[in-house]
Amino acid sequence: MRTRSTVGAIVALAAVLVLTSCASSGTGSSSTPDASDEPVDGGDLTFAVANDPISLNPSGFGSGNDTWYVTRQLVDSLLYQNPETNELEPWLAESYTVNDDATVFSFDLRDDVTFSDGTPLTAASVKSTFDDIVAAGALSASIGSFVGYAETVAVDDDTVEVHFSKPNAAFPQATSTVGLGIVGAATLETPYADRADGQAVVGTGPFTLDSYTKDVSTVLDKRDDYAWAPASRGNDGGAHLDSVTFQIVPEASVRTGGLSSDQFDVIGGVQPNDVPVVEGSGLPLVYRANPGISFGLTFNVARPIVADPAVREAIASAIDAQEVRDTALNDLFNVGTSALAKSTPSYADQSSSFGFDAEKAGKLLDEAGWKKGADGIREKDGEPLSLEVLWVTNFGPNQTSLELIQQQLKKVGIDIQLSGTAVPDFIAKQDSGEWDLAWGNLSRADGDVLRTQFSQATTKTHIDDPELEALLQAQLAEPDPAKRDQILAEAQARIASQHYQIPVHELTSILGTQQDVHGVTLGADSRLDSLVGAWKAGQ
């Protein structure tokens, strides 16, 4: 038996997000355009971001959000996840069906879509894209969505079936992400490792690549013949803008100053301390609490010191997450209460497993045999309690947060060394296994993000926990949303009780815009949505 899904009924996801001035409930804007305003065609949008994309290959590894901001404009996805409802809606696929055990997914494609080189989108395009990701393996950031992948079958030009050897209930949501965006045959003719500069990327998106200059800018041009945006984006034709330039501006203060002085139309990565500056200039903010994994510390349990649950619990008890949030961020950011952020479907509060208690931390370490030395740092059998923390420098407050955590841990006799680096070096260091803790987050609007972070099959944390693994695999196999939520709640409880990850704060994506810029929004994953509906007044 198959069940058919169409608009508004594809997956019943929990937690409808509500517009509010507080990040804890999801989304917001400090300014609302006049409803009588009609979109205007024309104009060029200059969008300042902090990081070079590194790779414009949609399914490859880049610099995080700033990469996906760009690639979202080049490629479309089979399905669209509506950020206001979290429901999946048609995009390149008009509808889809799922068999009873969530091992076969059949997508009915639109028959009027073309790639930017004029070739038509067909079922073969989807098959080739998915096969390419699987063949790329660890080179692809999207490989985690294909656990148990068997094959993709082009039934006819407009029907494609994706087969798995075991259930994969999270796959429909995964098809809405940028990483599973469909690319043309011309892209696939180029070796996977040679696509970073974007010259080979041929997608069906509303924009095409004009130029990419590393560490300077990425310039996109409008596709005049585009006509298949998701219905809820409110534009059934080509983009209103003529072009978009993503300009690399690493310094947050320079981005904010450039917005205030009208050098930029939009800026990404507005820092917490710059929020009053932007609002004080009378300029709108667009913000949304990110779903997915909360910012926090994840342990490499293959390392002897942090393999001890008592040490992990002591570190959790020594961290005052409220102080970190209040010092490094502001009240647009939630304090972490679970491995999953509050805006994630299937979130379950685990705050009872955490809480600042320095006295408890000291007692746990004493009982584990770690005694304070002359310099205040604990030792055991002649070995100091010193740990390395990996982190990525792509989010400004990271350093402030970690330096405060460093001070908090030192008070109980734990020394941590901070190793900040760019994304490629971070990944390489993780792969080496020579690290103790990693600081970071991962945005995805589905609880399956827990599996990609903590499963034995996909994690770099070396967790060997049969109970947790069974839960992570069970949620993937459960097609009933309510039952899946319960399983994911149990998984969050297990991660919290074992302190495999210490949630500190959630991420909120914040953009600043000019008053004449409209239609720039954040998607369900709180990354930049398609700019097909964006426009500038007065053109």
Side-chain angles (χ1 to χ4, degrees):
M1 177 181 176
R2 293 177 183 271
T3 57
R4 176 163 293 277
S5 301
T6 53
V7 179
I10 293 181
V11 173
L13 294 172
V16 175
L17 302 182
V18 185
L19 279 175
T20 176
S21 61
C22 175
S24 63
S25 297
T27 65
S29 172
S30 60
S31 179
T32 303
D34 189 330
S36 65
D37 289 347
E38 290 295 328
V40 176
D41 289 337
D44 306 307
L45 190 80
T46 301
F47 196 130
V49 294
N51 302 284
D52 181 86
I54 299 177
S55 175
L56 295 175
N57 182 359
S59 63
F61 283 98
S63 60
N65 289 347
D66 288 345
T67 297
W68 289 306
Y69 281 17
V70 179
T71 52
R72 175 75 289 171
Q73 315 313 319
L74 301 175
V75 296
D76 297 331
S77 300
L78 291 178
L79 302 173
Y80 177 72
Q81 189 169 11
N82 189 315
E84 294 187 7
T85 65
N86 269 333
E87 291 183 355
L88 297 174
E89 300 174 349
W91 197 346
L92 296 180
E94 294 182 310
S95 63
Y96 78 91
T97 58
V98 186
N99 70 345
D100 285 344
D101 63 355
T103 58
V104 180
F105 304 86
S106 180
F107 297 87
D108 297 324
L109 305 178
R110 293 181 63 128
D111 61 7
D112 60 347
V113 178
T114 59
F115 290 97
S116 57
D117 63 358
T119 58
L121 170 78
T122 67
S125 310
V126 178
K127 170 180 169 55
S128 297
T129 296
F130 290 169
D131 286 349
D132 179 67
I133 293 172
V134 173
L139 293 177
S140 172
S142 300
I143 189 63
S145 296
F146 289 90
V147 172
Y149 180 75
E151 63 176 340
T152 297
V153 178
V155 178
D156 55 41
D157 281 352
D158 302 324
T159 308
V160 61
E161 288 185 349
V162 186
H163 294 246
F164 290 86
S165 60
K166 56 183 180 180
N168 191 343
F171 186 69
Q173 189 278 334
T175 69
S176 72
T177 62
V178 182
L180 269 64
I182 309 303
V183 294
T187 299
L188 303 175
E189 291 169 0
T190 301
Y192 197 88
D194 295 339
R195 301 175 196 166
D197 65 1
Q199 294 302 314
V201 177
V202 175
T204 64
F207 293 90
T208 60
L209 179 66
D210 176 76
S211 66
Y212 164 58
T213 305
K214 185 173 177 57
D215 294 325
V216 178
S217 66
T218 304
V219 181
L220 309 181
D221 287 335
K222 169 186 176 177
R223 266 194 77 180
D224 291 327
D225 59 346
Y226 186 82
W228 44 84
S232 57
R233 295 299 295 130
N235 180 14
D236 59 4
H240 301 298
L241 297 166
D242 291 331
S243 71
V244 179
T245 298
F246 289 94
Q247 189 167 326
I248 312 305
V249 183
E251 299 82 7
S253 60
V254 176
R255 294 196 302 275
T256 300
L259 184 71
S260 299
S261 61
D262 208 20
Q263 296 178 57
F264 308 131
D265 298 304
V266 185
I267 61 171
V270 176
Q271 303 299 291
N273 60 337
D274 286 334
V275 166
V277 178
V278 175
E279 292 185 320
S281 299
L283 299 174
L285 291 172
V286 177
Y287 50 90
R288 190 176 194 278
N290 288 49
I293 301 294
S294 300
F295 257 111
L297 293 168
T298 301
F299 294 91
N300 176 7
V301 297
R303 304 283 274 188
I305 293 177
V306 296
D308 184 351
V311 173
R312 299 198 300 270
E313 185 177 2
I315 292 173
S317 298
I319 294 174
D320 186 343
Q322 185 74 49
E323 182 184 28
V324 174
R325 196 290 301 266
D326 292 347
T327 302
L329 304 160
N330 60 29
D331 60 6
L332 289 178
F333 296 76
N334 292 313
V335 173
T337 55
S338 174
L340 289 183
K342 290 185 177 73
S343 59
T344 316
S346 306
Y347 161 81
D349 187 359
Q350 304 299 321
S351 54
S352 62
S353 293
F354 304 99
F356 174 57
D357 189 337
E359 184 177 347
K360 176 183 177 181
K363 183 177 180 181
L364 285 165
L365 293 171
D366 287 339
E367 293 173 350
W370 293 96
K371 306 301 181 183
K372 280 193 175 183
D375 60 356
I377 301 303
R378 293 176 182 266
E379 299 177 354
K380 182 178 181 181
D381 299 327
E383 180 182 14
L385 185 43
S386 181
L387 305 168
E388 181 183 15
V389 178
L390 300 182
W391 60 286
V392 181
T393 57
N394 61 354
F395 179 55
N398 280 345
Q399 183 165 347
T400 303
S401 295
L402 285 169
E403 288 176 349
L404 182 52
I405 289 171
Q406 186 179 47
Q407 295 169 20
Q408 293 174 348
L409 293 179
K410 188 175 182 179
K411 290 177 180 178
V412 299
I414 301 172
D415 172 62
I416 63 170
Q417 298 299 312
L418 306 179
S419 297
T421 186
V423 173
D425 294 332
F426 176 88
I427 293 171
K429 189 65 180 285
Q430 270 197 318
D431 288 342
S432 75
E434 298 299 314
W435 56 281
D436 300 301
L437 302 95
W439 169 265
N441 81 310
L442 180 61
S443 296
R444 183 183 172 189
D446 191 281
D448 184 55
V449 70
L450 290 176
R451 178 185 60 82
T452 60
Q453 288 294 96
F454 298 103
S455 169
Q456 293 173 220
T458 55
T459 187
K460 299 177 182 179
T461 61
H462 303 98
I463 294 171
D464 184 8
D465 184 336
E467 180 179 340
L468 176 60
E469 187 66 22
L471 291 168
L472 296 176
Q473 298 305 324
Q475 64 85 23
L476 196 62
E478 180 53 67
D480 182 87
K483 293 179 180 178
R484 187 165 176 253
D485 284 348
Q486 180 56 45
I487 296 169
L488 284 165
E490 294 175 23
Q492 289 168 80
R494 180 65 181 176
I495 292 167
S497 69
Q498 300 302 303
H499 297 94
Y500 292 133
Q501 193 249 18
I502 303 170
V504 178
H505 71 80
E506 299 177 4
L507 178 64
T508 294
S509 292
I510 308 175
L511 310 178
T513 78
Q514 296 294 341
Q515 288 284 4
D516 63 350
V517 172
H518 306 277
V520 174
T521 61
L522 297 166
D525 57 4
S526 295
R527 300 179 178 116
L528 183 66
D529 211 334
S530 171
L531 290 171
V532 67
W535 56 280
K536 293 173 63 176
Q539 298 302 309

